[in-house]
Each structure stands twice: as structure tokens, then as C-alpha cells.
Amino acid sequence: MCRGGGNLPSFGVSSSYQATMAELQEVQITEEKPLLPGQTPEVAKEAELAAGILLDQGQTHSVETPYGSVTFTVYGTPKPKRPAILTYHDVGLNYKSCFQPLFQFGDMQEIIQNFVRVHVDAPGMEEGAPVFPLGYQYPSLDQLADMIPCILQYLNFSTIIGVGVGAGAYILSRYALTHPDTVEGLVLINIDPNAKGWMDWAAHKLTGLTSSIPEMILGHLFSQEELSGNSELIQKYRNIITHAPNLENIELYWNSYNNRRDLNLERGGAVTLKCPVMLVVGDQAPHEDAVVECNSKLDPTQTSFLKMADSGGQPQLTQPGKLTEAFKYFLQGMGYMASSCMTRLSRSRTASLTSAASIDGNRSRSRTLSQSSESGTLPSGPPEKRARQGTVFLDVLTTCVPCFSLWRTLKFWDFFPPV
């Protein structure tokens, strides 16, 4: 039984949410009509500004589920015949620390203007969350996935495009397996679909004897090269996790992730993701091998693999521009934002890459895309060698498919055979 934070109408939307939507609708209607008698342009501009501030701040809600309360924040207003973008964060983070750099990136604004967003915080991960009492039974990742229908019922949303990182990617995948009709697409960053084996379990226990929980989580989020470099980004997130007031809650989420079940994905089998999927991983990320293995288990006609160079363990933090560009094309391939323009990055490189793209036009295609910021040319050598190297550049993506509505025929990152 799903219950919101108050008396809800029969279709599951709170009165406060209705009031917010009604207010936004009134502002939109006012903008479409001529100015009322006595109304000055300054007053109309102030109303528009107020609506924009309300959208930028987001509206936070909580809903009761069979496995406890879950908090989420909604940005924007629902768009007709369009799914909501629903995000789920990784261990040690909340929706702000995990996704804010991505969704505040300049080129991302074109996307968020066309979709309502729902950012889910795992129980106890939201800002200001109280520490759970001793002995509290934290939900499993499967149970966290089972909370999502309560969120959609509360908001009266029918379909979503999921964007998840790490544990959040697993949760959204589990949800998509049990509710395939409500998921139009998935962007899965650093997903590990496998349960921990005995060797992994033993290594985890041994690491726990010599490392603190924050250090173990940092090793899950970032590569060893990044941690050794101790950049400003690493220092920032080390401070966030080490001094988190809800560190006990974070440890519970961490334990649930380490006790996850195997998704049992099988290419061509009964258990598989049926929607379009974009898999994303950094070239030195801790989960690189797991994402590659996940790619091998999914339908190659529905799955695209984006391996990002120079992005470390968290591409959405280190390379928001390139991830935004790929996400935009992913949405266009699903039939949304067909009129979207190429980004500044792709426009600036189109001329130099057109010839290279045309030469490569007759080469065999696959399901792997890697991008590199170090070169603007295609790798040399026979196709078999290039397939082993797994190197294709994001620039080719932006050149060959400036309008992503061609995705179904070109498969812009379909250059190598699936692993």
C-alpha cells in the first residue's frame, strides 16, 4: 500500500502537488494571453520569474511504501505524451551530489526543458535525514526497486526514462525487469548486474578489517588512480562522505548493495531489459569489467555501450558535457527532441571529421562506443584489431548522426561486434 505524506486523492497526487501544478498552469495561461487591463509588462515578467524560480528549486515529496518512506524531488511540469526522467544515485551520495553537475550543465538545459525530472533519494540519504535506530532493517535493493511504483502512483506518471549510477543503476534495472511496460529507456552508469561471489565477499571482508567505511565507498566510486591523485574532486567527495551526518545510514545502503542478488540477465533469454539501454563507464572505472560483461548479456539491437576516456569512476561528475551530448542523441533515437541542434562540441569538429566518417561508412558495425579526448582520428588497423582495442570516438558520433532520429538505421556507436 502506497501512501503519501497526507490525504491523497484517489489517483494518488497530493493536494500540495496539485496546488503547485495549478499555480504553474495559471502562469503559463497568463503568458499565452494578452496583458490584462492595468497589467504592466513588469508584472507579467515578475510572474514568469516567480514560476521559473519555483521550477528551479524543485518540489520535495515523500511517500510511504511497504518498505518505509522514500523522498524524491520533482523539477519541471509533466509534458504531454512524454515520460519523466527518473534518477537514482549511488552509495555514499544523494541526488544532488550524484547528479547536480550533470543536470546543471549548460547543454543539459535543452533536455530538462522538455522533460519533467524526478530525483529519488534512497531512504535515509536525503539531506537532513535522521539516523535510523539501531537494528533498523534497511530495504534490499530489490525492495528499493519496489518503491518506485509508489512514487509514480503518487505523481500519476505512467512511464519513465531511468538514469542510474552504481547501486542506482542496479535498482532501476531491477525495476525495469519487473515493470517493463513503464520504462521507455535506461541510462546505466557503472552497473554491476552480478551478485558478489565468494572471492568478492572474502576480499570485501578483508578490506573491511583495514579500511574504514568511507574509504571503501570511495574505492567503489572512484578509480585507484583518482584516489592516488587526490584531486580537488576527490577531496570534496572524501569530505562529503567522511563527515556525513548520516554515515550510519550510508553504511546500511552500502551493505544492501553488497548483498544484492544477481540480475540473471541473459541475451536472448526470458530475463532481459526490453527497452533501449545506454551503458556508460569510464575507461579506468572500478566497474569497467562488470559493465562490459553486462553489455554482453543484453540485446545488441537495444543496447549501446559508451566507454568514456579521461572520465574516471564518475563520468557524470567529470565529463558532464560529453555525457549530456550522448544522452541527447539517445533521447532522439527514442523519438524525442528530433529538432535538437548539434552541440558546440560536435559543430566545432564536424568539418575535420566528415571525411573520416565517410571513409568508415562501409565498415562493419557493433555495439561499442568509446570516446577519447586525445585524438580526432579513427584508430588504424584491421577491424578485428580495432574491435579488440574497442576505440571509437565520440566525435564520429556527433558527425555521422547530427540528428539522432537516424539512430535506428545508423546505430551511431554500432562499430564493433558485441563482446
Side-chain angles (χ1 to χ4, degrees):
M1 180 65 180
C2 305
R3 299 193 306 274
N7 296 325
L8 300 179
S10 59
F11 49 82
V13 182
S14 68
S15 57
S16 62
Y17 186 76
Q18 279 187 312
T20 301
M21 295 300 103
E23 181 179 351
L24 294 176
Q25 289 172 357
E26 289 174 2
V27 172
Q28 292 173 346
I29 292 172
T30 301
E31 291 174 344
E32 293 172 358
K33 291 183 177 181
L35 295 178
L36 298 175
Q39 185 182 32
T40 63
E42 289 75 13
V43 174
K45 187 174 182 180
E46 289 178 2
E48 181 180 356
L49 179 61
I53 293 174
L54 186 61
L55 291 176
D56 291 339
Q57 291 177 342
Q59 296 294 304
T60 300
H61 309 267
S62 63
V63 61
E64 290 294 330
T65 77
Y67 307 105
S69 177
V70 61
T71 300
F72 51 94
T73 304
V74 181
Y75 289 83
T77 56
K79 305 298 188 293
K81 299 181 180 180
R82 290 202 173 187
I85 294 177
L86 186 143
T87 71
Y88 217 116
H89 60 86
D90 203 353
V91 176
L93 309 173
N94 56 30
Y95 92 84
K96 288 186 177 180
S97 57
C98 188
F99 291 108
Q100 207 166 54
L102 176 64
F103 283 94
Q104 288 185 348
F105 189 77
D107 290 335
M108 178 62 78
Q109 304 314 302
E110 184 180 7
I111 295 176
I112 65 178
Q113 290 172 3
N114 287 277
F115 295 89
V116 61
R117 289 176 290 145
V118 181
H119 296 289
V120 181
D121 280 317
M125 303 302 123
E126 67 274 14
E127 290 184 345
V131 175
F132 290 123
L134 188 65
Y136 175 80
Q137 183 63 45
Y138 197 82
S140 66
L141 294 196
D142 290 7
Q143 291 171 336
L144 292 177
D146 289 338
M147 291 181 173
I148 295 178
C150 295
I151 297 174
L152 301 186
Q153 177 188 344
Y154 182 90
L155 297 172
N156 199 28
F157 292 168
S158 57
T159 60
I160 64 168
I161 296 172
V163 181
V165 180
Y170 178 100
I171 291 168
L172 291 177
S173 298
R174 176 65 71 183
Y175 171 75
L177 290 174
T178 55
H179 301 82
D181 294 338
T182 66
V183 181
E184 294 195 22
L186 288 173
V187 178
L188 305 176
I189 304 171
N190 297 336
I191 184 173
D192 188 344
N194 303 315
K196 280 187 173 295
W198 285 105
M199 295 298 293
D200 295 325
W201 180 85
H204 176 73
K205 290 297 182 183
L206 290 174
T207 303
L209 296 176
T210 58
S211 303
S212 64
I213 293 296
E215 288 301 322
M216 293 172 67
I217 293 176
L218 284 167
H220 161 79
L221 296 174
F222 300 100
S223 67
Q224 288 303 313
E225 290 80 2
E226 290 176 290
L227 295 175
S228 300
N230 198 31
S231 64
E232 183 178 342
L233 177 71
I234 299 300
Q235 295 178 34
K236 173 184 175 181
Y237 279 85
R238 176 177 279 115
N239 182 67
I240 289 175
I241 297 172
T242 303
H243 299 98
N246 61 337
L247 184 57
E248 292 86 348
N249 298 354
I250 293 175
E251 183 176 358
L252 293 176
Y253 188 20
W254 173 240
N255 291 336
S256 288
Y257 176 70
N258 288 314
N259 291 322
R260 66 190 180 277
R261 296 192 302 143
D262 199 308
L263 288 177
N264 294 315
L265 299 173
E266 182 182 0
R267 176 174 290 181
V271 181
T272 189
L273 297 174
K274 299 179 180 180
C275 62
V277 179
M278 181 169 74
L279 299 175
V280 182
V281 69
D283 61 345
Q284 295 180 341
H287 310 286
E288 180 179 355
D289 292 340
V291 178
V292 171
E293 182 179 354
C294 182
N295 181 52
S296 70
K297 295 180 177 181
L298 297 178
D299 181 357
T301 66
Q302 291 279 64
T303 308
S304 302
F305 181 24
L306 172 59
K307 182 179 177 183
M308 300 181 67
D310 305 321
S311 63
Q314 300 292 308
Q316 80 283 3
L317 302 180
T318 58
Q319 298 282 2
K322 293 174 181 176
L323 185 55
T324 295
E325 190 166 7
F327 186 36
K328 184 185 298 184
Y329 295 142
F330 180 70
L331 293 173
Q332 289 179 331
M334 297 172 61
Y336 300 111
M337 301 178 60
S339 61
S340 177
C341 298
M342 297 169 64
T343 64
R344 292 187 298 272
L345 173 66
S346 61
R347 284 197 302 266
S348 65
R349 300 184 179 183
T350 297
S352 62
L353 289 167
T354 301
S355 59
S358 61
I359 292 173
D360 199 57
N362 294 326
R363 293 175 181 168
S364 60
R365 301 180 308 209
S366 80
R367 302 302 313 169
T368 303
L369 166 70
S370 282
Q371 62 80 25
S372 170
S373 60
E374 299 177 357
S375 175
T377 59
L378 293 175
S380 59
E384 293 79 7
K385 181 178 180 180
R386 292 198 306 274
R388 288 195 298 271
Q389 293 173 339
T391 305
V392 168
F393 301 96
L394 185 63
D395 307 283
V396 176
L397 177 157
T398 57
T399 302
C400 294
V401 196
C403 178
F404 206 67
S405 59
L406 300 177
W407 181 38
R408 291 299 180 190
T409 56
L410 278 180
K411 298 295 185 183
F412 63 87
W413 38 43
D414 207 356
F415 289 86
F416 304 130
V419 289

